[in-house]
């Protein structure tokens, strides 16, 4: 081996640098464990402890030292599936941004285009591009983007001119939308920085308007969702006086009686509601009448929903009824009943309080013709936590000079009129108060039923500023810390067992050469982890699976080299010449490079199209390929060359295994009709299952919500499904046992197309109320839903995928699989210079994919683990494609070698059979090591990746079969007869 000293130097340097990089992870983990021990499960104490350690020296190497903050930045970061916490993808509403840029245009064509873009948006298509297509279709040239009905207005007067073409306007709009998304990113970044979690991560996802937010260790899910999705749209409105709207509710209620189904009846006296004193109508309606008539009466759609026990000045309703009441109040015929003085009235709901979370007040706000509040949050220059005159938490605000003047005028007006000013944040009335006189100086306060955490969050969002448009949570994942620790334990266990078994097999089969391969494997793992730490990659549970798989691939190259060296020794070469040939391009290197290029191509496609943990899997797989090549080729050879130099014998086998798989004379092509028939039958049955049985599609592909719930006793999945599928719960839901019989995975598509924190909370409350009877010990809502250190029962993991995100994921998956097959086949055409090799490979890969899909379609209802078609499954399929190509390339390389040489005699088919038989030891050994590590992960890797590993396990087994019995026969059958005759003549001359 040339430049042995230089390679040895680099190997030592890489190993030492990797150990140095890993030392930061060990130190950071030690301090994190100290923080957990100190906090005893209190998250705030744990975070405070870690913050206090930030600038303290925790690592001193003599020539340099590092603080805890330095160490954390250099450690291997764990993904949320290992760390626990919250991961959300927010989508900034480009639709709202366009509305704002159009100055809220009322043009029918423009608004139809917005609606059409929402409905017809394709997978992976940005909303803005979908809008451009929809606008062109709707306007058909009658309305231009630069027209006053669209974007030629005072908001864009400096950038859009009336004579501009649509293409010119599109450039401006793309710039403006990009600026708005950047602004939203900045606002969210500021909010998150003040939230208080360690190592938050926020990043824009291309130009899609989506923003990824990861909060490791965050526990209060509802609080996080509210903080992130709040637009912080602060407005100050005058309220309408009771005598301005008192009669409206009576008229609206009477009108609705005629158009709605009969309202619920109750023994309540409504005579006061019909009193002529309109000023007291609302008060009368919500007063509990002690002299109520005992006979049931039809109260009407609105009055039947009013909570008569609520002690408030405004009519109060149950939160679950607000959507229904809103639908009534938005109707044009109902709004027409408003008096002329209140024709622009706005309706808003009040903030609920902890004592009665189910009840909210309905406020009547004095609207304006343009719908813009008299004073907005843009006037607020500062916000801080405070306490009101009753000692309750509040938020104080200071306004700029212009805002101060408007505030003084507004408070002066309400002092004269006797009404109130309502402080509204994101369409929720936080407080409403009267004023005895005008308030100067621009100082005001938001008070109400706040907790200290709520005032801290309110201060945070007000100081960070408002979002340019609504940001809805379109995808989320919550992992409890206990589940994350379980995943780590399972990952470590499967890694150790996999490492031991692979190492033992290599020693058993290859003797001392096996020890050399194991030494290379250890160095490979050290360098792999070191690179991950130095490059800042995040370790995920699929990433651990990728590392365990790397153990199989790490010895793969050694197996190919060792098998070739054995062949050369049997041919009579000396050990030194056999090793040189095996490590040469005409020996094993060509097969190794071809096989690993196919791996790299599929891994790269997986990285490009994958998201989150799947990208982590692709990352570790790609790094592992390069580190495995380096260590297998160079590290193991140091020891082999050392043996040669010292005159030691090296047989690359043991006494037991020296004759294994030698002298094999199987005729693979003779049985090709049977293998074709078998594979064709499997494909036909698979397609039949696709159309009759379908697939268990995960929410990644169809959208929905999943909750992994752990109970304190065994439960029946059928009973839970029945309860959750009731009309008053989710209408449709599915519960499956995951792991043990006290743990279920619950899936529902209920209201998945509706966005907003309120919808998310409603679903979690429904889930909690429906599942309460299944627990022996009752849990509170917070104990059930939120994640705490050491949490044993309740929701331990949850995930939400919106329909638009699901469509994008499905599109990415489709192109990933098709792209991987095409790119790898194109490489094979270039490498082998004959399309028949590529055709054989594509036939084998297509066969493998159909086979695995068929098994998943046929068995998902019967297997004791989940077999969902989701992102993890696509990662498995791409991995199967890579390994199937690997096996096929090893066989094809030997066929090319035998056909290209002239040392083998016989017919074309006989030469091909000889080629396969001589590679059988390589093929079976490489497949066996992969099957070995995959089996370990299947049994010890944990429930969450069992279906993912099963797909790869089946794929590797089927891939080994197809490379021998499908790819090779297709290659032979598609080879022109003239080429076959020419090869036979050359070999038998």
């Amino acid at each position: 081996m040339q430049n042995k000293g230089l390679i040895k130097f680099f190997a030592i340097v890489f190993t030492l640098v990797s150990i140095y990089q890993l030392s930061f992870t060990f130190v950071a983990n030690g301090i994190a464990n100290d923080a957990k021990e100190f906090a005893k499960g209190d998250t705030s104490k744990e975070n405070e402890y870690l913050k206090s350690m930030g600038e303290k020296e925790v690592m001193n190497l003599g020539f340099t030292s590092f603080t805890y903050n330095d160490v954390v930045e250099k450690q291997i970061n764990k993904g949320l599936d290992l760390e626990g916490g919250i991961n959300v993808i927010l989508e900034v509403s480009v639709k709202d941004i366009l509305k704002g840029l159009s100055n809220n245009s009322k043009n029918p064509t423009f608004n139809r285009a917005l609606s059409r873009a929402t409905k017809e948006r394709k997978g992976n298509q940005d909303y803005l591009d979908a809008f451009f297509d929809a606008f062109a279709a709707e306007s058909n040239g009658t309305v231009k983007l630069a027209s006053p009905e669209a974007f030629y207005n005072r908001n864009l007067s400096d950038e859009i001119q009336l004579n501009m073409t649509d293409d010119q306007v599109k450039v401006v709009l793309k710039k403006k939308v990009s600026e708005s998304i950047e602004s939203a990113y900045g606002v969210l970044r500021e909010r998150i920085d003040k939230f208080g979690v360690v190592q938050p991560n926020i990043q824009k996802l291309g130009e899609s308007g989506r923003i990824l937010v990861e909060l490791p260790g965050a526990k209060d899910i509802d609080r996080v969702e509210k903080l992130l999705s709040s637009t912080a749209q602060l407005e100050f409105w005058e309220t309408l006086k009771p005598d301005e709207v008192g009669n409206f509710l009576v008229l609206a209620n009477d009108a609705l009686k005629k158009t709605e189904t009969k309202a619920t009846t109750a023994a309540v006296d409504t005579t006061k509601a019909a009193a002529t004193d309109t000023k007291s109508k609302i008060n009368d309606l919500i007063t509990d009448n002690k002299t109520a008539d005992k006979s049931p009466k039809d109260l009407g759609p609105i009055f039947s929903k009013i909570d008569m026990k609520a002690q408030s000045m405004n009519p109060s309703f149950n939160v679950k009824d607000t959507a229904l009441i809103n639908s009534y109040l938005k109707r044009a015929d109902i709004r027409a009943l408003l008096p002329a003085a209140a024709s622009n009235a706005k309706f808003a709901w009040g903030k609920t309080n902890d004592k009665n979370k189910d009840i909210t007040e309905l406020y009547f706000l004095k609207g304006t013709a343009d719908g813009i509040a008299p004073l907005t949050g843009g006037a607020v220059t500062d916000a801080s936590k405070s306490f009101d005159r009753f000692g309750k938490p509040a938020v104080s605000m200071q306004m700029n000079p212009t805002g101060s003047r408007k505030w003084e005028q507004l408070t002066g007006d309400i002092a004269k009129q006797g009404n109130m000013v309502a402080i509204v944040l994101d369409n929720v009335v936080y407080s409403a108060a009267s004023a005895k006189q005008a308030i100067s100086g621009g100082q005001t306060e938001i008070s109400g039923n706040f907790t200290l955490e709520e005032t801290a969050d309110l201060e945070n969002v007000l100081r960070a500023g408002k979002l340019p448009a609504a940001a809805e949570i379109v995808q989320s994942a919550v992992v409890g810390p206990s589940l994350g620790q379980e995943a780590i334990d399972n990952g470590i266990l499967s890694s150790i067992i996999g490492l031991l078994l692979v190492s033992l097999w290599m020693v058993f089969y290859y003797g001392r050469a096996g020890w050399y391969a194991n030494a290379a494997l250890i160095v490979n793992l050290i360098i792999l982890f070191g690179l991950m730490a130095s490059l800042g990659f995040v370790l995920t549970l699929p990433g651990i699976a990728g590392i365990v798989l790397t153990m199989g691939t790490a010895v793969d190259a050694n197996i190919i080299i060792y098998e070739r060296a054995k062949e050369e020794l049997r041919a009579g070469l000396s050990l030194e010449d056999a090793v040189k040939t095996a490590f040469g391009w005409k020996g094993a290197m060509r097969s190794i490079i071809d096989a690993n290029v196919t791996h790299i191509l599929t891994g790269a496609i997986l990285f490009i199209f994958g998201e989150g943990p799947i990208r982590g899997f692709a990352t570790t797989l790609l790094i592992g390929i390069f580190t495995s090549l380096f260590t297998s080729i160079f590290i193991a050879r140091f020891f082999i060359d050392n043996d040669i130099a010292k005159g030691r014998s090296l047989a690359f086998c043991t006494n037991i295994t020296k004759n294994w798989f030698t002298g094999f004379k199987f005729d693979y092509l003779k049985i090709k009709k049977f293998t074709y028939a078998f594979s064709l039958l499997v494909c036909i049955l698979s397609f039949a299952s696709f159309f009759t049985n379908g697939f268990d599609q995960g929410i990644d592909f169809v959208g929905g919500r999943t909750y992994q719930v752990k109970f304190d006793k065994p439960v029946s999945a059928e009973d839970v499904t029945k309860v959750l599928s009731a009309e008053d719960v989710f209408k449709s839901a599915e519960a499956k046992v995951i792991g043990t019989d006290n743990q279920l995975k619950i899936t529902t598509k209920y209201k998945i197309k509706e966005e907003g924190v309120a919808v998310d909370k409603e679903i979690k409350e429904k889930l909690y109320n429906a599942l309460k009877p299944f627990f022996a010990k009752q849990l509170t809502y917070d104990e059930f839903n939120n994640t705490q250190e050491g949490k044993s029962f309740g929701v331990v993991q949850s995930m939400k995928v919106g329909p638009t995100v699901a469509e994008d994921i499905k599109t990415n998956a489709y192109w990933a699989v098709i792209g991987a097959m095409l790119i790898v086949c194109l490489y094979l055409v270039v490498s082998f210079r004959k399309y028949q090799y590529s055709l054989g490979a594509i036939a084998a890969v297509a066969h493998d994919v159909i086979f695995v899909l068929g098994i998943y379609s046929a068995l998902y209802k019967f297997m004791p683990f989940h077999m969902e078609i989701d992102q993890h499954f696509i990662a498995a399929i791409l991995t199967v494609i890579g390994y199937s190509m690997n096996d096929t390339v090893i066989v094809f390389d030997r066929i090319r070698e035998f056909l290209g040489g002239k040392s083998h005699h016989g017919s074309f088919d006989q030469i091909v059979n000889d080629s396969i038989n001589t590679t059988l030891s390589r093929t079976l050994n490489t497949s066996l090591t992969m099957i070995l590590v995959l089996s370990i992960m299947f049994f010890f890797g944990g429930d969450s990746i069992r279906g993912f590993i099963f797909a790869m396990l089946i794929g590797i087994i089927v891939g080994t079969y197809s490379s021998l019995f499908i790819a090779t026969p297709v290659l032979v059958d598609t080879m022109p007869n003239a080429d076959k005759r020419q090869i036979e003549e050359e070999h038998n001359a």
Side-chain angles (χ1 to χ4, degrees), residues 556 560 590-603 605 816-829 831-832 835-849 876-894 896 923 926-927 930 955-964 967-968:
D556 185 31
I560 297 173
R590 189 169 191 172
S591 297
I592 290 171
I593 297 302
D594 279 338
N596 280 281
V597 166
T598 58
H599 273 168
I600 291 167
L601 289 173
T602 53
I605 288 171
V817 174
I818 298 298
M821 294 172 70
L822 291 178
I823 289 175
V824 170
C825 288
L826 182 63
Y827 171 77
L828 291 179
V829 169
S831 178
F832 286 86
Y835 77 89
Q836 288 86 358
Y837 288 96
S838 184
L839 199 61
I842 198 72
V845 168
H847 164 273
D848 299 344
V849 171
I877 286 293
L878 288 173
T879 308
V880 166
I881 290 172
Y883 284 106
S884 178
M885 289 288 186
N886 187 352
D887 280 343
T888 303
V889 163
I890 289 173
V891 174
F892 280 3
D893 265 321
R894 180 51 62 94
R896 175 173 56 184
T923 302
T926 53
S927 297
M930 290 306 307
I956 298 300
I957 295 170
V958 175
T960 304
Y961 158 81
S962 66
S963 64
L964 299 174
T968 305

Side-chain angles (χ1 to χ4, degrees), residues 690-840:
F690 298 164
F691 291 107
T692 58
N693 208 31
F695 296 99
D696 182 13
Q697 293 192 66
I699 63 169
D700 287 6
F701 283 4
V702 295
R705 292 175 172 87
T706 64
Y707 300 90
Q708 188 171 327
V709 182
K710 196 167 186 178
F711 298 84
D712 53 3
K713 63 178 183 179
V715 292
S716 165
E718 291 77 14
D719 291 345
V720 170
T721 298
K722 186 176 180 181
V723 168
L724 294 177
S725 300
E727 282 296 315
D728 58 344
V729 187
F730 296 143
K731 299 180 182 178
S732 175
E734 183 180 37
K736 298 178 182 177
V737 174
I738 179 168
T740 57
D741 58 3
N742 70 329
Q743 193 165 233
L744 298 180
K745 183 177 182 181
I746 295 165
T747 305
T748 179
K749 295 180 187 176
Y750 180 71
K751 288 192 174 181
I752 192 58
K753 292 184 178 180
E754 296 182 30
E755 303 289 357
V757 173
V759 176
D760 292 339
K761 190 169 184 181
E762 175 199 344
I763 290 167
K764 283 184 279 190
E765 286 175 346
K766 279 179 175 286
L767 182 70
Y768 167 65
N769 291 324
L771 295 183
K772 273 196 296 186
F774 292 93
F775 286 89
K777 179 186 175 183
Q778 288 303 305
L779 304 177
T780 65
Y781 172 83
D782 285 339
E783 289 172 335
F784 177 78
N785 268 299
N786 290 324
T787 60
Q788 301 95 22
E789 203 69 44
K791 177 177 178 176
S792 301
F793 308 113
V795 178
V796 293
Q797 184 175 15
S798 65
M799 186 175 180
K800 165 191 168 184
V801 179
T804 56
V805 175
E807 189 64 31
D808 291 353
I809 291 173
K810 188 184 290 186
T811 302
N812 279 341
Y814 172 81
W815 286 113
V817 174
I818 298 298
M821 294 172 70
L822 291 178
I823 289 175
V824 170
C825 288
L826 182 63
Y827 171 77
L828 291 179
V829 169
V830 173
S831 178
F832 286 86
R833 293 181 173 84
K834 280 184 178 291
Y835 77 89
Q836 288 86 358
Y837 288 96
S838 184
L839 199 61

Side-chain angles (χ1 to χ4, degrees), residues 667-670 672 676 834-841 843 888 891-892 895-896 899 907-916 962-981 983-984:
D667 192 340
Y668 299 90
L669 299 177
K670 186 177 181 180
K672 65 181 180 181
Y676 279 164
K834 280 184 178 291
Y835 77 89
Q836 288 86 358
Y837 288 96
S838 184
L839 199 61
T888 303
V891 174
F892 280 3
I895 291 172
R896 175 173 56 184
L899 293 178
S907 66
F908 182 87
D909 286 3
Q910 186 180 337
I911 296 171
V912 170
N913 277 320
D914 289 345
S915 304
I916 301 173
S962 66
S963 64
L964 299 174
F965 298 103
I966 300 297
T968 305
V970 169
L971 165 65
V972 172
D973 289 344
T974 55
M975 190 73 74
N977 289 328
D979 289 356
K980 292 180 183 179
R981 285 194 297 270
I983 289 170
E984 288 175 350

Side-chain angles (χ1 to χ4, degrees), residues 28 31-36 44-55 68-69 72 198:
I31 295 171
N33 290 333
D34 292 342
K36 289 183 187 297
S44 58
K45 279 187 178 181
E46 185 181 331
N47 288 335
E48 286 301 321
Y49 180 94
L50 294 174
K51 283 183 180 179
S52 69
M53 294 293 294
E55 299 303 323
Y68 175 66
N69 286 340
V72 166
V198 180

Side-chain angles (χ1 to χ4, degrees), residues 849-954:
V849 171
I850 293 169
F851 200 111
V852 175
L853 284 169
I855 287 177
Y856 265 63
S857 175
L859 301 181
Y860 75 84
K861 294 179 181 178
F862 310 105
M863 285 295 197
F865 54 89
H866 295 297
M867 300 177 71
E868 291 182 346
I869 307 296
D870 56 11
Q871 284 194 89
H872 290 81
F873 178 81
I874 296 302
I877 286 293
L878 288 173
T879 308
V880 166
I881 290 172
Y883 284 106
S884 178
M885 289 288 186
N886 187 352
D887 280 343
T888 303
V889 163
I890 289 173
V891 174
F892 280 3
D893 265 321
R894 180 51 62 94
I895 291 172
R896 175 173 56 184
E897 180 186 341
F898 274 34
L899 293 178
K902 298 180 182 179
S903 58
H904 295 271
H905 306 288
S907 66
F908 182 87
D909 286 3
Q910 186 180 337
I911 296 171
V912 170
N913 277 320
D914 289 345
S915 304
I916 301 173
N917 283 317
T918 56
T919 61
L920 194 61
S921 182
R922 299 185 195 180
T923 302
L924 294 182
N925 253 317
T926 53
S927 297
L928 183 62
T929 53
M930 290 306 307
I931 291 168
L932 199 60
V933 295
L934 286 170
S935 298
I936 295 303
M937 279 192 288
F938 180 77
F939 289 107
F940 298 102
D943 296 314
S944 58
I945 61 169
R946 192 155 285 144
F948 164 59
I949 298 300
F950 183 73
M952 284 195 282
L953 190 57
I954 295 300

